Amino acid sequence: MSDTALIAKLTKLLERDNPAWGPVRIAEVTPVFGGNARLAWAFDAHTASGGEHACILLAQVAGKHVESDTAEEYAVLRAMNGHGVCAPAALGLDTTGEVAGGPALVLARMSGEASAVDFLKLAPEVGFAATSELARETAKLHAFDWQGAGLKAAPNPVLHEIEQWESRFLSHRLEPLPALAALFRWLKANVPVPARLSLIHGDLRPGNFLFEGAKITGLLDWEMAHIGDPAEDIAWIYRALWSPEKFLSFDGFAAQHAQLSGIATPRRNLTYYRIFSEVKFATISVSAAASYAAGATENLRHIDRAAKIPEAVRLCHQWIDSEKWEGADAAA
Amino acid sequence: MLRPSPGDLLKGVRAGLQSSVLSALPKGAAQRQLKAALHLLERLERSWDLMGAHLAADNRDIETTLGAIDDAGLQTQLAEAPGAAPSGFNCPQLRAAAARNIQLQTVLDAYAARHNAPEVEALLRRMAARDSILIGDTLP
């Protein structure tokens, strides 16, 4: 599609979804890196009243390894906007793929850098301050009144999330992977009671937030957001591959989060979600391998993702052995 | 045998691509693809010749563990012929072992879903440890 055609469709979308802006003018669009699962274009939208809005268009690509519902992501962002959560303003939704070929969102473009590699290279004192800031923003998210904002949860959201991932695993696995299947059974048999049901980002980690020095300027990529246990986000932030542990310990982060959010997450929930995180990461790896095997993607980062599974399973066994699980709360 | 060995060839290809191709590529999609390929080549260097021993040990362990369980249905399933072999194997013996491995894992997965048996849990953990060796995470 030419830039001219894309601009015309974008203009129409923004005028439809932001009637208060009046006529919109977009001079140019610039392709930018949108991650493994989305195409992205940066642009500025000018309104008749002289307003200028820095925007980004994010469109799903075919063969992505994490299924997501763009309309749900848009609804979550709209619910949060204006409530103090560090998330981009949602400005446009195209569920049909008319604008860019796949379901797409237009979001306010926030300043800052997203690179996980660069984040983890910050000087220790800056990294500590930035990770503490991340604990603060995570706490604000988890304290957000999602019910008051009109969001809904599944009847048993914690178990529902596990079942969703298990369903993805079963439908994408290229071989039985019995050890991973057994871990899903373990997760379902040991579901803890959350200290609070919160809006969970679902993929919060270095690489999915913007930072400028020690300041966190925006939490990105809300396509896996759902209602669940705050321990889930904390555990995911501290997965070994991208963990900010060298700046602030896992326990230190959890303590800051508890103090700032007022949510006292039990130790066992945190360990449980470290196990869940590994199972989820392994499942994403299973999906990525299946996507590559099916010819749905040529992204070579997916080709060998199955090799990530053994380490995830090994860590699960280690964490299962680290706690006494009999008499678990069994929220299920 | 032929020298350089497959491991040496993989190492040579990786080193050549890294020194003369990666440095010539601008940042972007092509460079990301090459980096991912180099990462895979490096893992294959560490693990290309481990599959035969892995499949033999895995099949033997699953057969022995499940074979000792007093369950007529399970024993019938274990005695059935394997299905089609997975793609990507050249050696007929290795291809047969891979087909048997998929079959045994399928039987194990179904049994483990119905029975919470300590010997099966222990088997799953031994399999996970073997998988870590297979992919080159742990030395054999």
Coordinates of all heavy atoms in Angstrom, one line a residue, chain A residues 97-165:
Chain A
G97 N -8.9 -4.4 9.5 CA -7.7 -4.5 8.7 C -7.7 -3.6 7.5 O -6.8 -3.7 6.6
E98 N -8.7 -2.8 7.4 CA -8.9 -1.9 6.2 C -7.7 -0.9 6.1 O -7.2 -0.6 5.0 CB -10.2 -1.1 6.4 CG -10.4 0.1 5.6 CD -10.7 -0.2 4.1 OE1 -11.1 -1.4 3.9 OE2 -10.6 0.7 3.3
V99 N -7.2 -0.4 7.2 CA -6.2 0.6 7.2 C -4.8 0.1 6.8 O -4.1 0.6 6.0 CB -6.1 1.4 8.6 CG1 -4.9 2.3 8.6 CG2 -7.4 2.1 8.8
A100 N -4.4 -1.1 7.5 CA -3.0 -1.5 7.3 C -2.9 -3.0 7.0 O -1.9 -3.6 7.2 CB -2.2 -1.1 8.5
G101 N -4.0 -3.7 6.7 CA -4.0 -5.1 6.4 C -4.3 -6.0 7.5 O -4.5 -7.2 7.3
G102 N -4.2 -5.6 8.7 CA -4.5 -6.4 9.9 C -5.1 -5.5 10.9 O -5.0 -4.3 10.8
P103 N -5.8 -6.1 11.9 CA -6.4 -5.3 13.0 C -5.4 -4.3 13.5 O -4.2 -4.7 13.8 CB -6.8 -6.3 14.0 CG -7.0 -7.6 13.3 CD -6.0 -7.5 12.2
A104 N -5.8 -3.0 13.7 CA -4.8 -2.0 14.0 C -5.4 -1.0 15.1 O -6.6 -0.8 15.2 CB -4.4 -1.3 12.8
L105 N -4.4 -0.4 15.8 CA -4.7 0.6 16.8 C -3.9 1.9 16.4 O -2.8 1.8 15.9 CB -4.1 0.2 18.1 CG -4.7 -0.9 18.9 CD1 -3.8 -1.3 20.1 CD2 -6.1 -0.6 19.4
V106 N -4.5 3.0 16.7 CA -3.7 4.3 16.7 C -3.6 4.7 18.1 O -4.6 4.8 18.9 CB -4.4 5.4 15.8 CG1 -3.5 6.6 15.9 CG2 -4.5 4.9 14.4
L107 N -2.4 4.9 18.6 CA -2.1 5.3 20.0 C -1.3 6.6 20.0 O -0.6 6.9 19.0 CB -1.3 4.3 20.7 CG -1.9 2.9 20.7 CD1 -0.9 1.9 21.5 CD2 -3.3 2.9 21.4
A108 N -1.4 7.4 21.1 CA -0.5 8.5 21.2 C 0.9 8.0 21.3 O 1.2 7.0 22.0 CB -0.9 9.3 22.5
R109 N 1.8 8.7 20.6 CA 3.2 8.3 20.6 C 3.9 9.0 21.8 O 3.9 10.2 21.9 CB 3.8 8.7 19.3 CG 5.2 8.1 19.0 CD 5.6 8.3 17.6 NE 6.2 9.6 17.4 CZ 5.7 10.6 16.6 NH1 4.6 10.3 15.9 NH2 6.3 11.7 16.4
M110 N 4.4 8.2 22.7 CA 5.1 8.7 23.9 C 6.6 8.8 23.7 O 7.1 8.1 22.9 CB 4.7 7.8 25.1 CG 3.2 7.7 25.2 SD 2.7 6.4 26.4 CE 2.5 7.3 27.9
S111 N 7.2 9.7 24.5 CA 8.6 9.9 24.3 C 9.4 8.8 25.2 O 8.8 8.2 26.1 CB 9.1 11.2 24.8 OG 8.8 11.4 26.2
G112 N 10.6 8.5 24.8 CA 11.4 7.6 25.5 C 11.9 6.5 24.6 O 11.5 6.4 23.5
E113 N 12.7 5.6 25.2 CA 13.3 4.5 24.5 C 12.8 3.2 25.1 O 12.5 3.1 26.3 CB 14.8 4.6 24.8 CG 15.6 3.6 24.0 CD 17.1 3.5 24.5 OE1 17.5 4.3 25.3 OE2 17.8 2.6 24.0
A114 N 12.6 2.2 24.2 CA 12.0 0.9 24.7 C 13.0 -0.2 24.8 O 12.7 -1.2 25.4 CB 10.9 0.5 23.8
S115 N 14.2 0.0 24.3 CA 15.2 -1.2 24.2 C 15.5 -1.8 25.5 O 16.0 -1.2 26.4 CB 16.5 -0.7 23.5 OG 17.5 -1.6 23.7
A116 N 15.2 -3.1 25.6 CA 15.5 -3.9 26.8 C 17.0 -3.9 27.0 O 17.5 -3.8 28.1 CB 14.9 -5.3 26.7
V117 N 17.7 -4.1 25.9 CA 19.2 -4.1 26.0 C 19.8 -2.8 26.6 O 20.6 -2.9 27.5 CB 19.8 -4.4 24.6 CG1 21.3 -4.3 24.7 CG2 19.4 -5.8 24.1
D118 N 19.3 -1.7 26.1 CA 19.7 -0.4 26.6 C 19.3 -0.2 28.1 O 20.0 0.4 28.9 CB 19.3 0.7 25.7 CG 20.0 0.7 24.4 OD1 21.0 0.0 24.2 OD2 19.5 1.4 23.5
F119 N 18.1 -0.7 28.4 CA 17.6 -0.5 29.8 C 18.6 -1.3 30.7 O 19.0 -0.7 31.8 CB 16.2 -1.0 29.9 CG 15.6 -0.9 31.3 CD1 15.1 0.4 31.8 CD2 15.7 -1.9 32.2 CE1 14.6 0.5 33.0 CE2 15.2 -1.8 33.5 CZ 14.7 -0.5 33.9
L120 N 18.9 -2.5 30.3 CA 19.7 -3.3 31.2 C 21.2 -2.9 31.2 O 22.0 -3.3 32.1 CB 19.6 -4.8 30.8 CG 18.2 -5.3 31.0 CD1 18.0 -6.7 30.4 CD2 17.8 -5.4 32.5
K121 N 21.5 -1.9 30.3 CA 22.9 -1.4 30.3 C 23.0 -0.1 31.1 O 24.0 0.6 31.2 CB 23.3 -1.1 28.9 CG 23.8 -2.3 28.1 CD 24.3 -1.9 26.8 CE 24.6 -3.0 25.9 NZ 24.7 -2.6 24.5
L122 N 21.9 0.4 31.7 CA 21.9 1.6 32.5 C 22.9 1.5 33.6 O 23.2 0.4 34.1 CB 20.5 1.9 33.1 CG 19.4 2.4 32.1 CD1 18.1 2.4 32.8 CD2 19.7 3.7 31.4
A123 N 23.4 2.7 34.0 CA 24.3 2.7 35.2 C 23.6 2.2 36.4 O 22.4 2.4 36.5 CB 24.8 4.1 35.4
P124 N 24.3 1.5 37.3 CA 23.5 0.9 38.4 C 22.6 1.8 39.2 O 21.4 1.4 39.5 CB 24.7 0.4 39.3 CG 25.8 0.2 38.4 CD 25.7 1.2 37.3
E125 N 23.0 3.0 39.5 CA 22.2 3.9 40.2 C 21.0 4.4 39.4 O 19.9 4.5 39.9 CB 23.0 5.1 40.8 CG 23.6 6.1 39.8 CD 24.9 5.6 39.1 OE1 25.3 4.4 39.4 OE2 25.5 6.4 38.4
V126 N 21.2 4.6 38.1 CA 20.1 5.0 37.2 C 19.1 3.8 37.1 O 17.9 4.0 37.1 CB 20.6 5.5 35.9 CG1 19.4 5.9 35.0 CG2 21.6 6.6 36.0
G127 N 19.7 2.6 36.9 CA 18.9 1.4 36.7 C 18.0 1.1 38.0 O 16.9 0.7 37.9
F128 N 18.6 1.4 39.2 CA 17.9 1.2 40.4 C 16.7 2.1 40.5 O 15.6 1.7 40.8 CB 18.8 1.4 41.6 CG 18.1 1.4 42.9 CD1 17.7 0.2 43.5 CD2 17.7 2.6 43.6 CE1 17.0 0.2 44.7 CE2 17.0 2.6 44.8 CZ 16.7 1.4 45.3
A129 N 17.0 3.4 40.2 CA 15.9 4.4 40.2 C 14.8 4.1 39.2 O 13.6 4.2 39.5 CB 16.5 5.8 40.0
A130 N 15.2 3.7 38.0 CA 14.3 3.3 36.9 C 13.4 2.1 37.3 O 12.2 2.1 37.1 CB 15.0 3.1 35.6
T131 N 14.1 1.1 37.9 CA 13.3 -0.1 38.3 C 12.4 0.2 39.4 O 11.2 -0.3 39.5 CB 14.3 -1.2 38.7 OG1 15.2 -1.4 37.6 CG2 13.6 -2.5 38.8
S132 N 12.8 1.1 40.4 CA 11.9 1.6 41.4 C 10.7 2.3 40.8 O 9.6 2.2 41.3 CB 12.7 2.5 42.4 OG 13.7 1.8 43.0
E133 N 11.0 3.1 39.8 CA 9.9 3.8 39.1 C 9.0 2.8 38.4 O 7.7 3.0 38.4 CB 10.6 4.8 38.1 CG 9.6 5.5 37.2 CD 9.2 6.9 37.8 OE1 9.6 7.2 38.9 OE2 8.5 7.6 37.1
L134 N 9.5 1.8 37.9 CA 8.7 0.7 37.3 C 7.8 0.1 38.4 O 6.6 -0.2 38.1 CB 9.6 -0.3 36.6 CG 8.8 -1.5 35.9 CD1 8.0 -1.0 34.8 CD2 9.8 -2.5 35.4
A135 N 8.4 -0.1 39.6 CA 7.5 -0.7 40.7 C 6.4 0.3 41.0 O 5.3 -0.2 41.2 CB 8.4 -0.9 41.9
R136 N 6.7 1.6 40.9 CA 5.6 2.6 41.2 C 4.5 2.5 40.2 O 3.4 2.5 40.5 CB 6.3 4.0 41.3 CG 5.3 5.1 41.5 CD 6.0 6.5 41.5 NE 7.1 6.5 42.5 CZ 6.8 6.8 43.8 NH1 5.6 7.1 44.2 NH2 7.8 6.9 44.7
E137 N 4.9 2.5 38.9 CA 4.0 2.5 37.8 C 3.2 1.2 37.8 O 2.0 1.2 37.5 CB 4.6 2.7 36.5 CG 5.3 4.1 36.3 CD 4.3 5.2 36.5 OE1 3.1 5.0 36.3 OE2 4.8 6.3 36.9
T138 N 3.8 0.1 38.1 CA 3.1 -1.2 38.2 C 2.1 -1.2 39.4 O 1.0 -1.7 39.2 CB 4.2 -2.3 38.4 OG1 5.2 -2.2 37.4 CG2 3.5 -3.7 38.4
A139 N 2.5 -0.6 40.5 CA 1.6 -0.5 41.6 C 0.4 0.4 41.3 O -0.7 0.0 41.6 CB 2.4 0.2 42.8
K140 N 0.6 1.5 40.5 CA -0.5 2.3 40.1 C -1.5 1.5 39.2 O -2.7 1.6 39.4 CB 0.0 3.5 39.3 CG 0.4 4.7 40.2 CD 0.5 6.0 39.5 CE 1.8 6.4 39.1 NZ 2.0 7.6 38.3
L141 N -0.9 0.8 38.3 CA -1.7 -0.1 37.4 C -2.6 -1.1 38.3 O -3.8 -1.2 38.1 CB -0.8 -0.8 36.5 CG -1.5 -2.0 35.7 CD1 -2.6 -1.5 34.8 CD2 -0.4 -2.8 34.9
H142 N -1.9 -1.7 39.2 CA -2.6 -2.7 40.0 C -3.6 -2.2 41.0 O -4.6 -2.9 41.4 CB -1.6 -3.6 40.7 CG -0.8 -4.5 39.8 ND1 0.4 -5.0 40.1 CD2 -1.0 -4.8 38.5 CE1 0.9 -5.7 39.1 NE2 0.1 -5.6 38.0
A143 N -3.5 -0.9 41.3 CA -4.4 -0.2 42.2 C -5.6 0.4 41.4 O -6.6 0.9 42.0 CB -3.7 0.8 43.1
F144 N -5.5 0.4 40.1 CA -6.5 1.0 39.2 C -7.8 0.4 39.5 O -7.9 -0.9 39.5 CB -6.0 0.9 37.8 CG -7.0 1.2 36.7 CD1 -7.7 2.4 36.6 CD2 -7.4 0.2 35.8 CE1 -8.6 2.6 35.7 CE2 -8.4 0.4 34.9 CZ -9.0 1.6 34.8
D145 N -8.9 1.2 39.6 CA -10.3 0.6 39.8 C -10.9 0.2 38.4 O -11.6 1.0 37.8 CB -11.1 1.7 40.4 CG -12.6 1.3 40.6 OD1 -12.8 0.1 40.5 OD2 -13.4 2.2 40.9
W146 N -10.5 -1.0 38.0 CA -10.9 -1.5 36.7 C -12.4 -1.7 36.6 O -13.1 -1.5 35.5 CB -10.2 -2.7 36.3 CG -10.2 -3.8 37.3 CD1 -9.4 -4.0 38.4 CD2 -11.2 -4.9 37.3 NE1 -9.8 -5.1 39.1 CE2 -10.9 -5.7 38.5 CE3 -12.3 -5.3 36.6 CZ2 -11.6 -6.9 38.8 CZ3 -13.0 -6.4 36.9 CH2 -12.7 -7.2 38.0
Q147 N -13.0 -2.1 37.7 CA -14.5 -2.3 37.7 C -15.2 -1.0 37.6 O -16.2 -0.8 36.8 CB -14.9 -3.0 39.0 CG -14.6 -4.5 39.0 CD -14.7 -5.1 40.4 OE1 -14.2 -4.6 41.3 NE2 -15.5 -6.2 40.4
G148 N -14.7 0.0 38.3 CA -15.3 1.4 38.2 C -15.2 1.9 36.8 O -16.0 2.8 36.3
A149 N -14.1 1.5 36.0 CA -13.9 2.0 34.7 C -14.7 1.1 33.6 O -14.5 1.4 32.4 CB -12.4 2.0 34.4
G150 N -15.4 0.2 34.1 CA -16.3 -0.6 33.2 C -15.7 -1.8 32.6 O -16.3 -2.4 31.8
L151 N -14.5 -2.2 33.1 CA -13.9 -3.5 32.6 C -14.6 -4.7 33.3 O -15.0 -4.6 34.5 CB -12.4 -3.5 32.7 CG -11.7 -2.4 31.9 CD1 -10.2 -2.5 32.3 CD2 -11.9 -2.7 30.4
K152 N -14.6 -5.8 32.6 CA -15.2 -7.0 33.1 C -14.2 -8.1 33.3 O -13.2 -8.2 32.5 CB -16.3 -7.5 32.2 CG -17.4 -6.5 32.0 CD -18.6 -6.7 33.0 CE -19.8 -5.8 32.6 NZ -19.6 -4.4 32.9
A153 N -14.4 -9.0 34.2 CA -13.5 -10.1 34.4 C -14.3 -11.4 34.1 O -15.5 -11.5 34.2 CB -13.0 -10.2 35.8
A154 N -13.5 -12.5 33.7 CA -14.1 -13.8 33.6 C -14.6 -14.3 35.0 O -14.1 -13.8 36.0 CB -13.1 -14.7 33.0
P155 N -15.5 -15.3 35.1 CA -16.0 -15.7 36.4 C -14.9 -16.1 37.3 O -14.9 -15.7 38.5 CB -16.8 -16.9 36.0 CG -17.3 -16.6 34.6 CD -16.2 -15.9 33.9
N156 N -13.9 -16.9 36.9 CA -12.7 -17.1 37.7 C -11.5 -16.7 36.9 O -10.9 -17.5 36.3 CB -12.6 -18.6 38.1 CG -11.5 -18.9 39.1 OD1 -10.5 -18.1 39.2 ND2 -11.6 -20.0 39.8
P157 N -11.1 -15.4 37.0 CA -10.2 -14.9 36.1 C -8.8 -15.5 36.2 O -8.1 -15.7 35.2 CB -10.1 -13.4 36.4 CG -10.7 -13.3 37.7 CD -11.7 -14.4 37.9
V158 N -8.4 -15.9 37.4 CA -7.1 -16.5 37.6 C -7.0 -17.9 36.9 O -6.1 -18.1 36.1 CB -6.7 -16.6 39.1 CG1 -5.4 -17.3 39.3 CG2 -6.7 -15.2 39.7
L159 N -7.9 -18.7 37.1 CA -8.0 -20.0 36.5 C -8.2 -19.9 35.0 O -7.6 -20.6 34.2 CB -9.1 -20.9 37.1 CG -9.2 -22.3 36.5 CD1 -8.0 -23.1 36.8 CD2 -10.4 -23.0 37.1
H160 N -9.0 -18.9 34.6 CA -9.3 -18.7 33.2 C -8.1 -18.4 32.4 O -7.9 -18.9 31.3 CB -10.3 -17.5 33.1 CG -10.6 -17.1 31.7 ND1 -11.5 -17.8 30.9 CD2 -10.2 -16.0 30.9 CE1 -11.5 -17.2 29.7 NE2 -10.8 -16.1 29.7
E161 N -7.2 -17.6 33.0 CA -5.9 -17.2 32.3 C -5.1 -18.5 32.1 O -4.5 -18.6 31.0 CB -5.2 -16.2 33.2 CG -3.9 -15.7 32.5 CD -4.1 -14.8 31.3 OE1 -5.3 -14.5 31.0 OE2 -3.1 -14.5 30.6
I162 N -5.0 -19.3 33.1 CA -4.2 -20.6 32.9 C -4.8 -21.4 31.8 O -4.1 -22.0 31.0 CB -4.2 -21.3 34.3 CG1 -3.4 -20.4 35.3 CG2 -3.5 -22.7 34.1 CD1 -3.7 -20.8 36.7
E163 N -6.1 -21.5 31.9 CA -6.8 -22.4 30.9 C -6.6 -21.8 29.4 O -6.5 -22.6 28.5 CB -8.3 -22.5 31.2 CG -8.5 -23.4 32.4 CD -10.0 -23.4 32.9 OE1 -10.7 -22.5 32.6 OE2 -10.3 -24.4 33.6
Q164 N -6.6 -20.5 29.3 CA -6.4 -19.9 28.0 C -5.0 -20.3 27.5 O -4.8 -20.6 26.3 CB -6.4 -18.4 28.1 CG -7.7 -17.8 28.5 CD -8.6 -17.6 27.2 OE1 -9.4 -18.5 27.0 NE2 -8.4 -16.6 26.5
W165 N -4.0 -20.2 28.4 CA -2.6 -20.6 27.9 C -2.5 -22.1 27.7 O -1.9 -22.5 26.7 CB -1.6 -20.1 29.0 CG -1.4 -18.7 28.9 CD1 -1.8 -17.7 29.7 CD2 -0.6 -18.0 27.9 NE1 -1.4 -16.5 29.2 CE2 -0.7 -16.6 28.1 CE3 0.1 -18.5 26.8 CZ2 0.0 -15.7 27.3 CZ3 0.8 -17.5 25.9 CH2 0.7 -16.1 26.2

